[in-house]
Amino acid sequence: MISSCQSFFRSSKVIYSFAVANQTRYSSPQLQYFQSLRIHKEKSIPSILNNLLINQMLQFDWVVDQGPKLVDILYSICGTRITNFLINNTIGKVFTAGENLESVERYLSQSDSNISYIMDYCSEALEGLEDQEKFYDENSSIFRQTILECAKNPEKKNMIAIKVSSLIDLNLLKKINQARLNIFEMFCKISQGKQTITIQQVFQYLKKEGINLNENEQKQFIIGVLKYSQNEMEIDEITWRYRVQPLFMFETDLNNNPAIKYFNNLNQEDIVLFEQFIERVKYFMDPALKNKVCVMVDAEQTYLQWAIDCFSEQMEAFYNQNYTLVYNTFQNYLKQTKQRMDYEIEKAEKFKLNIGIKMVRGAYMVEESKLAKQQNKENPINDGYQGTTTMIERNLEMLIKNIHKSPTKVFVASHNEQTIDFVKEIMNRYSIPNQGDVLFAQLYGLSDHVTYQLANEGYKIYKYVPFGKSEIMIPYLLRRAQETKKVLQSSSLQTLLLIDELKYRLYFK
């Protein structure tokens, strides 16, 4: 056994030397510090070998870029059962905690006491299902079970992540997304470039569109929708965007107002589906509120995001009254994120909101660029990696600076060490404590050395722990590989530390 292991290390000498040579960020004392932590000590030898294999495979662009085609080929040759088994026991072992909540519980039982966790059941919209409503109900139930699991260890402050598209009909979500854009456009049409519009202008516009509100309906719109007194007449854009929603989740009587019906243009079947969605949300959010388990609402594609923001805003207003329970996610690879962030900060200040914001670079770049090209539209993605870096640093500084003005929790979900160093410097500049309102997170299987370093420096740090069935995890894994390609291909330190751990196990160090 020992001789074969020695042979392995002779054959891996090139990999180890390459990792050392390409690891330029850290000095020799810093390397020794990371090596002393033994951050992979909980992994078995087969697990370490699998990590090394996957890390090396993902160094090649063609493996990452052609991942979906390679998986399709595997399915055609090996069939579903064998392919799922292979993926679950190779790349799935590196980047996910398993197929169910029980596997996550086993992982957490061996976890570091200084690190908290975000449990992410990676379900999202799946087209072509025979019983979609059953699928959405099952997802809501799993979210609830995950919240109750988090509640077992309140001192850890573990959280969960959800995708709205896993809870509601995809076509309905697209309709609501367009309805919200139409509401934004209506303000622009009425205002003609001015800062405000009047309530009377709104009613006149609706009348031209054939919507005549009687006195009670006008009163409901003013008091119920806008939250105005009868004497207030002018509406600024922030108020319009925040108060006027395509559909209301927690004040459902407002959905019967003719103005709201005009905005969303939904039929009775759509309304029934929306009401079922509300029940699913309440099913897991009520125990989340009771147990103070935070919920991250993940970002999705741009053709869904305005609808997701609509629901996130309403969930924040309802559940974040005394405690920041709901977080919304902002993808900084998108050009529109600057505008969205400006709105978010102005809204929080104006309405004295407790807001939670998770900042990421993004997860749908390949899909978004391809879709824009197909539709002959402007690419919504920033120009180059540096464009996204500029965007996320600008937005992070604005958010952290705003913490002193209004209750704001900022989640920095990043593997980029330059970005993390930038955040540390901004926190120091604005006197934000390490265990205060700025939190950090990295994905399971990525940048473990960053996670441990932040934990040892006293920052509040989380690990994102994805889990789920094969049919939902495989799209997740393929997207994560493409999204984090730059991180995966600069993981020399990860490789070095994995090989170091093998040496410790086999008494070579």
Side-chain angles (χ1 to χ4, degrees):
M1 170 70 179
I2 296 295
S3 62
S4 64
C5 289
Q6 288 173 327
S7 174
F8 165 79
F9 278 110
R10 283 195 295 271
S11 65
S12 67
K13 188 175 180 180
V14 173
I15 297 174
Y16 188 81
S17 300
F18 178 82
V20 173
N22 283 273
Q23 197 299 110
T24 58
R25 177 175 173 80
Y26 298 102
S27 64
S28 182
Q30 288 174 310
L31 275 177
Q32 291 173 7
Y33 163 72
F34 282 123
Q35 289 168 328
S36 71
L37 291 177
R38 292 187 61 198
I39 61 179
H40 300 295
K41 62 186 175 185
E42 302 297 337
K43 289 184 171 71
S44 66
I45 289 178
S47 176
I48 292 172
L49 293 173
N50 181 53
N51 270 254
L52 286 168
L53 171 65
I54 297 301
N55 283 353
Q56 287 307 117
M57 285 178 60
L58 295 176
Q59 296 297 310
F60 300 100
D61 276 343
W62 69 270
V63 173
V64 177
D65 295 339
Q66 301 302 317
K69 290 182 181 178
L70 293 173
V71 170
D72 288 342
I73 291 170
L74 263 180
Y75 275 123
S76 63
I77 295 173
C78 302
T80 301
R81 190 172 179 180
I82 293 175
T83 300
N84 287 347
F85 176 82
L86 289 171
I87 292 174
N88 288 338
N89 287 280
T90 51
I91 188 171
K93 289 285 187 184
V94 177
F95 299 114
T96 77
E99 291 194 66
N100 50 47
L101 194 53
E102 288 72 25
S103 62
V104 177
E105 291 172 12
R106 286 194 295 272
Y107 167 74
L108 295 184
S109 68
Q110 304 169 359
S111 61
D112 191 288
S113 60
N114 294 321
I115 300 171
S116 297
Y117 297 89
I118 303 168
M119 301 187 202
D120 181 14
Y121 181 61
C122 292
S123 184
E124 57 188 21
L126 290 176
E127 297 187 80
L129 292 176
E130 289 185 7
D131 192 344
Q132 289 189 335
E133 295 305 299
K134 181 182 177 182
F135 171 73
Y136 302 139
D137 289 341
E138 287 174 351
N139 291 335
S140 177
S141 179
I142 292 172
F143 292 148
R144 181 186 175 93
Q145 292 169 36
T146 310
I147 284 167
L148 295 175
E149 181 62 30
C150 290
K152 291 178 182 177
N153 297 293
E155 69 283 352
K156 291 283 285 186
K157 295 185 177 179
N158 292 335
M159 308 181 180
I160 79 158
I162 69 162
K163 281 188 169 59
V164 169
S165 69
S166 71
L167 297 163
I168 187 171
D169 179 80
L170 187 60
N171 289 325
L172 175 56
L173 200 56
K174 290 177 181 178
K175 289 180 184 179
I176 296 170
N177 192 80
Q178 186 57 52
R180 193 157 200 226
L181 289 172
N182 292 343
I183 290 170
F184 297 164
E185 185 181 352
M186 179 176 164
F187 183 93
C188 294
K189 285 180 178 178
I190 296 173
S191 68
Q192 296 292 305
K194 295 180 181 178
Q195 298 296 312
T196 62
I197 60 177
T198 67
I199 291 174
Q200 201 56 42
Q201 283 178 309
V202 173
F203 293 151
Q204 287 172 356
Y205 180 93
L206 290 170
K207 191 173 183 179
K208 287 179 182 178
E209 296 294 311
I211 309 300
N212 292 296
L213 277 67
N214 62 36
E215 185 177 344
N216 286 335
E217 291 164 345
Q218 289 184 12
K219 185 177 179 181
Q220 184 188 48
F221 187 84
I222 294 168
I223 298 173
V225 174
L226 294 174
K227 303 292 187 286
Y228 274 11
S229 68
Q230 290 279 52
N231 297 324
E232 293 177 278
M233 295 303 297
E234 291 197 336
I235 313 165
D236 61 76
E237 188 171 6
I238 299 296
T239 301
W240 179 263
R241 289 182 60 164
Y242 181 54
R243 296 296 193 198
V244 184
Q245 300 287 355
L247 284 167
F248 290 86
M249 298 177 68
F250 304 104
E251 299 172 281
T252 53
D253 59 309
L254 297 178
N255 295 329
N256 295 317
N257 188 281
I260 302 303
K261 287 184 176 182
Y262 166 75
F263 294 145
N264 62 51
N265 194 31
L266 299 178
N267 58 40
Q268 188 56 41
E269 183 181 350
D270 292 329
I271 297 300
V272 170
L273 293 176
F274 177 69
E275 289 171 350
Q276 291 171 346
F277 163 71
I278 296 171
E279 292 306 310
R280 293 184 191 111
V281 171
K282 289 180 177 178
Y283 186 65
F284 64 83
M285 282 304 306
D286 288 350
L289 179 63
K290 180 181 177 181
N291 294 285
K292 291 188 176 180
V293 176
C294 295
V295 175
M296 298 273 181
V297 180
D298 278 345
E300 302 190 48
Q301 296 92 335
T302 51
Y303 55 80
L304 304 176
Q305 191 58 51
W306 291 114
I308 292 166
D309 285 352
C310 152
F311 301 141
S312 296
E313 282 188 335
Q314 294 182 64
M315 289 168 69
E316 285 175 343
F318 190 81
Y319 292 107
N320 288 10
Q321 294 179 31
N322 302 309
Y323 181 84
T324 305
L325 198 77
V326 177
Y327 289 73
N328 198 10
T329 303
F330 290 75
Q331 301 188 102
N332 285 270
Y333 69 71
L334 292 169
K335 296 172 184 175
Q336 68 181 21
T337 303
K338 178 180 180 295
Q339 177 199 32
R340 287 180 65 214
M341 189 54 56
D342 292 344
Y343 161 72
E344 197 73 16
I345 290 171
E346 287 186 59
K347 176 189 76 177
E349 288 183 18
K350 183 176 179 67
F351 297 105
K352 309 297 184 222
L353 303 171
N354 290 317
I355 60 169
I357 293 178
K358 184 180 73 172
M359 298 290 281
V360 301
R361 284 180 177 262
Y364 299 91
M365 286 177 282
V366 175
E367 180 182 350
E368 294 285 6
S369 297
K370 184 178 179 181
L371 191 62
K373 189 175 181 180
Q374 288 174 348
Q375 297 178 348
N376 199 27
K377 294 181 178 178
E378 179 188 355
N379 194 330
I381 308 300
N382 287 319
D383 296 328
Y385 191 82
Q386 186 55 46
T388 298
T389 298
T390 301
M391 176 75 78
I392 196 169
E393 289 184 354
R394 178 258 187 198
N395 290 336
L396 280 167
E397 182 167 6
M398 286 184 64
L399 284 169
I400 293 169
K401 184 179 179 180
N402 192 64
I403 286 172
H404 293 301
K405 296 181 181 179
S406 62
T408 306
K409 290 275 189 182
V410 183
F411 225 107
V412 185
S414 177
H415 309 100
N416 186 293
E417 294 176 63
Q418 286 78 15
T419 298
I420 290 169
D421 286 345
F422 173 82
V423 171
K424 290 179 185 177
E425 191 274 323
I426 295 297
M427 290 174 68
N428 183 59
R429 186 189 308 170
Y430 294 109
S431 302
I432 306 297
N434 289 10
Q435 289 284 325
D437 295 321
V438 179
L439 309 95
F440 295 87
Q442 286 81 46
L443 285 168
Y444 181 102
L446 285 174
S447 303
D448 290 336
H449 62 286
V450 175
T451 305
Y452 276 80
Q453 183 181 24
L454 286 166
N456 285 339
E457 289 174 355
Y459 292 94
K460 186 60 180 172
I461 181 70
Y462 285 78
K463 207 69 174 170
Y464 231 82
V465 184
F467 70 99
K469 300 173 186 176
S470 299
E471 59 265 28
I472 65 173
M473 289 310 304
I474 289 172
Y476 166 86
L477 289 167
L478 293 172
R479 192 170 62 248
R480 284 301 185 203
Q482 292 176 333
E483 171 204 349
T484 57
K485 181 164 66 173
K486 198 173 183 70
V487 179
L488 292 166
Q489 296 178 346
S490 60
S491 59
S492 299
L493 180 59
Q494 187 102 327
T495 298
L496 186 153
L497 295 175
L498 284 164
I499 295 177
D500 261 353
E501 184 57 36
L502 272 182
K503 290 182 177 182
Y504 273 112
R505 302 290 180 86
L506 300 169
Y507 308 102
F508 296 151
K509 289 193 74 169

